[in-house]
Amino acid sequence: MTENTQTPSSPDSELPTTYAPAEVEGKLYERWVERGYFEADPKSEKPPYAIVIPPPNVTGSLHLGHAFEHTLIDALTRRKRMQGYETLWQPGMDHAGIATQNVVERELAKEGKSRHDLGREAFVERVWQWKGESGGQISGQMRRLGDGVDWSRERFTMDEGLSEAVQTIFKKLYDDELIYRAERIINWCPRCLTAISDIEVEYQDDEGELVSIRYGEGDASIVVATTRAETMLGDTAVAVHPGDERYKHLVGTEIELPLTGRRIPVVADEHVDPEFGTGAVKVTPAHDPNDFEIGQRHNLPNLAVMDEHAIITVHGPFQGLDRLEARSAIVAALRAEGRIVAEKRPYTHSVGHCSRCKTTIEPRLSMQWWVKVGPLAKAAGDAVRNGEVKIHPQEMEKRYFDWVDNLHDWCISRQLWWGHRIPVWYGPNGEVVCVGPDEQPPTGEGWTQDTDVLDTWFSSGLWPFSTLGWPQQTDSLAKFYPNAVLVTGYDILFFWVARMMMFGLYAMDGTPPFHTIALHGMVRDERGKKMSKSFGNVVNPLDWMDKYGSDAVRFTLARGANPGVDVPIGEDWVQASSKFANKIWNATRFAMMNGATIEGELPPVERLSATDRWILSRLNETVAQVDAFYEDYQFSKLSEALYHFAWDEVFDWYVELSKTTFFAGGEQAEVSGRVLGEVVDVMLRLLHPVVPFVTETLWTTLTGGESLVIADWPKDSGFRDKAAEAEIASVQSVITEVRRFRKEQGLQDGQKVPARLELAATGLGAHEAAIRQLLRLQPEGDSFSATATLPVAGGTVALDLSGTIDVAAERKRLTKDLGAAEKEKQQAEAKLGNEAFIAKAPDNVVDKIKGRLAKAEADIERLQAQLAGLPAA
């Protein structure tokens, strides 16, 4: 536990009677920022602890996924700061190339303009203008949530320093022949008019049609099937398997390609599956990645038949048609010629869509820039295999290896204007020059820079070290690289995490960018359904913050955070967390009003009551549990542990059991007041990383300390008292048993009942006053009649219920219920004893009857006990 040196302030006078988050949170956060609590000093001698924020898009706003992730990161960094680490939570935003360009282009469209009307330079200037005026609203929302980031270090992936990092690593990769330019099939978005990488393609089942087309005539004909009839205009071969006897006589010959008048060869290729369909496939090298590979092997020409807008560019009758229009027109024309052998519609198949705009992507042959990922991906895989980097939870490793072990070369060029422009110049005589940040680009007539920009993930892949000043060897880079942990969703394990691993190991001399990758799940609605605007279940976390406070939202999210598992969340749960925050507030106020203090040392053990020793033992056990859960990224478990310790053990048991001591006053009240102060102090410290606002307000009032943000994290002192824990467990058992009996007898909570407690033999005699107080049990009195006696914890509690209930009516009711339960038991036993019934009845029916029997037996036992506890007639 912690040593308290602050001077406590006056008790509850500074705390309002109710907690109003809106009046507290904003002011507290600004105070934290103004005092520089979140700023990281690279020259500090403290051990470093660094985490980067997964940079939100500059176009974005805070959604529940952000709030969830930020809560977890903030909890980790706040705890480490309290533990004495020099803590850096690095903030910043991503320029989000496609998304941002789309936003600004839509703004221009409202003015009746396109980016081409402005020209490249003016358009980019317009985007910067938009970024300054409208971008980055998420920063203010992060403040609302309480994110303890170092705002003095806020970075943007297009700022000057990060641009230098991008140009530096591009040049290094280029010089090492790990970046190259080549014409290959890429994923093309006809809406965004740019290439996108494989991981930016979302696949979904779409309804289309599968048509089987006969190429050639008679014995020299082959039937092929396709869902994209429009691409046949670009076919340059038909392929069959080398071992397929059906087509051996055609291999090496040519057949007519319908509608075009062209003749194309029949080639044999191992890629073709002879068991699938007709065993023959059309080959369109310019519009299909597999066909492109076949074309490369057989030296086939690449015939592009669509432009960047997916408009047909060849063959008169179809020229100028959109790809979908052309598909229908071509099928109709083939049908008219008798070429359609079979049609299947609707035909459901997996189709790729642009993750940004949802347009169906078009495989397209294009000259692009690529990263040769083989050696980079191997290093990224080896770093996890050899234990340098741990993935948590461990079962997510398989996903990671499945990805990095099978990576294709990465297409990094994008046909956009907003982004890091590729630092390559082309000369008038075919020269190609890659320029580093400290080099002058070539000048003179005929020299032009490449018009493409880099994939957004290229720059965000540098985030862990570019934000620290790389390629300059800064103090921050020396202090905070590698990061301690990366906290991010499993959904961007491939998009972002693998990129950072590859670039970090490459640029930083084999040092990975972080020691641990802690993966969390996705936030879903209370029914476990994905949140989507189309489903109408998207929640703005700011609305919940306004209604219940940021602490309530944070605690709800943390409480649901099991590693790598999706998190369902509903407003009812946030409301429950709000009640928890209010409980902390009210109970802490009560504690301060009743003498809770941190002044002076804790009294020696011999002066502590069993109740005091019990709560201190439980406090230390909770500190140990919470520490262990933090180290294992078990946010749900640590939140549950804190919730039950605070609400159940501190507020519902320790405070209640100690009330008689506080009311009595005297030396023991002072001792328990110091214990209560210690418990509340440590409890607030433990809770602070998850619920920072309410705990800060209460703790500074209780202790007079400057701020919990910079307070010491509690330590387990090692104090345990199992005897006290067992003793208080017996007290709890007595109270729980009598409360249950009172409820069964229909007694009101506040209704007082005369009672005789015989607890001396159990060792619980010292707790009699507290037990009587909590159970509303009066002294016996001269006319006491023990009408009900309960065996409890080795002793007895005798109650006089003669003046509290109508014994005859209660006995009649219980007897009637007992008869019904016994009848239910007999019927269930009869059915289960009937062998013919058991032989025929389904298992679920038999299980249901067994359940009825078990319930009837439990009801009988309960009702008999209640009848036995009633006064004699």
Side-chain angles (χ1 to χ4, degrees), residues 39-40 80 157 180 191 238 242 265 285 305 343 393 400 402 454 516 584 612 644 651 708 743 759 824 848 869:
E39 293 180 11
K80 285 296 182 179
T157 52
Y180 63 94
R191 159 62 184 80
V238 171
V305 298
E343 295 181 70
Y400 178 79
D402 285 346
L454 288 163
T516 301
I584 297 170
D612 295 335
H644 290 295
F651 302 146
L708 261 178
K743 185 175 182 180
L759 301 175
E824 174 74 4
K848 187 175 181 181

Side-chain angles (χ1 to χ4, degrees), residues 753-754 783-788 799-807 871:
V753 178
S783 59
F784 178 80
S785 174
T787 57
L799 304 172
D800 183 353
L801 304 177
S802 57
T804 58
I805 62 172
D806 184 337
V807 176

Side-chain angles (χ1 to χ4, degrees), residues 373-386 391 396-409 493-494 498-499 501-502:
V373 299
L376 303 175
K378 182 182 184 303
D382 290 346
V384 175
R385 286 190 173 92
N386 65 26
I391 294 180
M396 286 286 180
E397 282 186 2
K398 184 179 183 303
R399 278 195 190 195
Y400 178 79
F401 292 136
D402 285 346
W403 182 254
V404 298
D405 292 347
N406 297 285
L407 268 179
H408 299 297
D409 283 1
L493 181 60
F494 318 127
R499 309 298 192 211
M501 285 286 286
M502 290 192 296

Side-chain angles (χ1 to χ4, degrees), residues 727 729-731 733-734 737 758-759 761-764 790-796:
E727 184 174 329
S730 296
V731 173
S733 174
V734 171
E737 183 63 25
E758 297 181 355
L759 301 175
T762 68
L764 303 183
L790 303 177
V792 290
T796 59

Side-chain angles (χ1 to χ4, degrees), residues 849-866:
I849 295 171
K850 288 180 179 178
R852 285 169 49 193
L853 175 60
K855 182 178 183 304
E857 289 174 339
D859 287 344
I860 290 169
E861 183 179 355
R862 174 178 58 80
L863 292 164
Q864 286 175 339
Q866 288 180 243

Side-chain angles (χ1 to χ4, degrees), residues 160 163-169 171 423 425 434-441 471-472:
E160 185 177 346
S163 294
E164 180 187 357
V166 168
Q167 196 171 350
T168 299
I169 201 163
K171 170 72 170 173
W425 272 255
C434 180
V435 177
D438 299 323
E439 300 170 349
Q440 290 296 319
Q472 309 305 321

